[in-house]
Amino acid sequence: MNPEILDQPGYTSIAVTESPVREIFPGIRVRPLWKGPSGASAHLLEMDPNTSWPRKDIHEPGPEEVYVVSGIFNDGARDYPAGTFLHAPAGSWHIPSTTTGCTLFVFYPEG
């Protein structure tokens, strides 16, 4: 074991169950996991079955990267099963929804 790994500046970890949960829309919850000094951030997004964003989700100021952890995610155009990675460039948009429910790892590299 190398416990000094944990003493490195910026090295961090969090259990999803320890992250505060916030409902952003009915049946859609976000759990912040990490925020960097430049504004980059990582989140876990949980969507209950038959939920949808109420409007376009526009990716500003930068891109959004999504990994489907479980369930089936729909971006308003097609379904993406667990194990799918999506990159949405800055200025693009989608309308997140799910019929099955899903859990997403969402990363904003530019905030």
Side-chain angles (χ1 to χ4, degrees), residues 47-62:
M47 298 179 69
D48 291 342
N50 301 309
T51 55
S52 179
W53 233 248
R55 60 184 175 278
K56 287 182 181 179
D57 179 24
I58 302 171
H59 306 113
E60 294 176 332

Side-chain angles (χ1 to χ4, degrees), residues 7 12 22-23 59-60 71 89 104-105:
D7 294 332
T12 187
R22 179 173 59 97
E23 187 167 58
H59 306 113
E60 294 176 332
L104 311 172
F105 174 78

Side-chain angles (χ1 to χ4, degrees), residues 1-44:
M1 295 295 284
N2 297 290
E4 64 271 21
I5 291 171
L6 303 177
D7 294 332
Q8 298 175 93
Y11 198 95
T12 187
S13 68
I14 186 169
V16 170
T17 55
E18 294 174 1
S19 177
V21 64
R22 179 173 59 97
E23 187 167 58
I24 54 175
F25 301 114
I28 302 175
R29 297 167 302 283
V30 66
R31 294 176 184 266
L33 301 174
W34 171 81
K35 185 160 181 121
S38 66
S41 61
H43 309 267
L44 193 76

Side-chain angles (χ1 to χ4, degrees), residues 23-104:
E23 187 167 58
I24 54 175
F25 301 114
I28 302 175
R29 297 167 302 283
V30 66
R31 294 176 184 266
L33 301 174
W34 171 81
K35 185 160 181 121
S38 66
S41 61
H43 309 267
L44 193 76
L45 188 77
E46 303 163 328
M47 298 179 69
D48 291 342
N50 301 309
T51 55
S52 179
W53 233 248
R55 60 184 175 278
K56 287 182 181 179
D57 179 24
I58 302 171
H59 306 113
E60 294 176 332
E64 176 185 79
E65 297 178 343
V66 175
Y67 179 77
V68 183
V69 176
S70 66
I72 299 173
F73 171 72
N74 184 289
D75 62 2
R78 63 176 284 208
D79 286 336
Y80 301 94
T84 302
F85 171 80
L86 296 94
H87 171 82
S92 67
W93 62 273
H94 60 194
I95 303 172
S97 67
T98 182
T99 57
T100 63
C102 63
T103 299
L104 311 172

